[in-house]
Amino acid sequence: MEVRQNVRSESVSYTHITMFFIVKRIVDIMVSLILILILWPWLLLISYRIIKKDGRPVLFRQVRMGKDNRPFLIRKFRTLTNPSKVIRSLPPHPFPKSWNHGVPDQFDFIRDPYQNVTYTGRWLKKFHIDRLPLLYNVIKGDMSLVGPSPEITEIVEHYNRHQAQRLRVKPGITGFAQVNGNSNQSHNQKIRDDLFYIKNCSLKFDMIILYRTSKHIFINGNFKRKRLL
């Protein structure tokens, strides 16, 4: 709570917001390029292992919604078995009436029950290595290192005005909701965390989130479900 209060007290003013996003973009490009240069042998090794153990494709591709309702294609290392050829709506169609005024607070995303996590995918997901190809999206400008998680387009179509505010900034590889363990759990809490980040975004806040992310990946292997900030 103390950290949250400190971040709030130093939130970015409108007079500095432009400079903040310019510096943030420079940091995104520099850090992403450095990581790719350092990790490229591992990227090749992971790609080879997926092909050898789990077959093709190496990458999982999906359209997500970015800043200002602009769709873009994300690429991550594939961690699930290939889906069946049956086309399924996600979320189920037709949508219940409870979605008329926005995505329900208790909405919980359930993945395709016909897909299973692959053997390689287990440790890729545990240490979040499957997200490394997203560095390409950061360099391209679709994403940032820190920001709200990129949402599935079918879900965004049912956002209400309040929920749509999370699309005011670029989505991130990691973010405030992720380090708090709420990215894939409570939709209501995820929205609250994302809007808190947008309202109080700063380089200091980004550094805190990146530090928490590194700590949990290298020490715990995952994000514990507890309030960190």
Side-chain angles (χ1 to χ4, degrees), residues 17-36:
I17 195 70
T18 301
M19 182 58 66
F20 163 71
F21 282 111
I22 291 175
V23 175
K24 181 180 176 71
R25 178 62 182 150
I26 294 174
V27 172
D28 282 344
I29 295 175
M30 292 180 61
V31 173
S32 297
L33 287 174
I34 291 172
L35 288 175
I36 289 175

Side-chain angles (χ1 to χ4, degrees), residues 68 150 191:
D68 299 328
I191 295 294

Side-chain angles (χ1 to χ4, degrees), residues 56-194:
R56 296 178 182 272
V58 172
L59 298 178
F60 163 79
R61 295 176 174 87
Q62 188 178 56
V63 176
R64 297 290 179 92
M65 197 63 74
K67 180 183 177 183
D68 299 328
N69 260 29
R70 289 197 296 265
F72 68 98
L73 186 69
I74 67 165
R75 298 169 179 84
K76 299 196 296 183
F77 284 123
R78 182 170 63 87
T79 59
L80 299 176
T81 56
N82 289 316
S84 68
K85 300 300 182 182
V86 179
I87 299 176
R88 299 179 179 87
S89 298
L90 193 62
H93 186 81
F95 296 93
K97 291 184 178 180
S98 59
W99 286 62
N100 291 341
H101 303 288
V103 181
D105 290 343
Q106 302 306 316
F107 169 72
D108 186 17
F109 179 83
I110 301 176
R111 66 177 175 85
D112 190 339
Y114 293 90
Q115 289 183 280
N116 297 310
V117 179
T118 64
Y119 178 80
T120 305
R122 292 173 189 169
W123 60 270
L124 288 177
K125 291 180 70 68
K126 178 179 180 180
F127 295 99
H128 304 276
I129 301 174
D130 59 312
R131 301 183 186 183
L132 287 179
L134 292 176
L135 292 171
Y136 170 78
N137 290 105
V138 175
I139 294 175
K140 188 179 177 182
D142 296 324
M143 295 180 63
S144 176
L145 293 174
V146 179
S149 58
E151 189 63 275
I152 296 171
T153 56
E154 291 89 344
I155 296 177
V156 172
E157 290 174 358
H158 291 267
Y159 273 1
N160 56 34
R161 185 174 299 179
H162 173 71
Q163 295 166 343
Q165 293 182 73
R166 74 187 298 269
L167 302 176
R168 289 164 50 192
V169 300
K170 292 179 182 179
I173 295 179
T174 186
F176 187 49
Q178 289 93 313
V179 297
N180 278 331
N182 294 315
S183 179
N184 296 311
Q185 299 294 329
S186 167
H187 186 268
N188 178 49
Q189 188 60 59
K190 180 178 74 172
I191 295 294
R192 289 176 56 188
D193 285 348
D194 288 340

Side-chain angles (χ1 to χ4, degrees), residues 1-14 16-17 20-21 24 146-148 165 168-169 176 180 191-209 227 229:
M1 182 61 70
E2 181 180 353
V3 176
R4 179 185 282 264
Q5 292 173 345
N6 289 339
V7 170
R8 187 187 298 274
S9 66
E10 297 181 15
S11 60
V12 180
S13 65
Y14 287 108
H16 297 93
I17 195 70
F20 163 71
F21 282 111
K24 181 180 176 71
V146 179
Q165 293 182 73
R168 289 164 50 192
V169 300
F176 187 49
N180 278 331
I191 295 294
R192 289 176 56 188
D193 285 348
D194 288 340
L195 296 186
F196 177 86
Y197 169 77
I198 293 171
K199 183 179 179 181
N200 299 280
C201 57
S202 67
L203 290 177
K204 176 183 177 180
F205 200 3
D206 280 9
M207 292 302 105
I208 292 174
I209 293 172
R227 305 301 296 171
L229 301 177

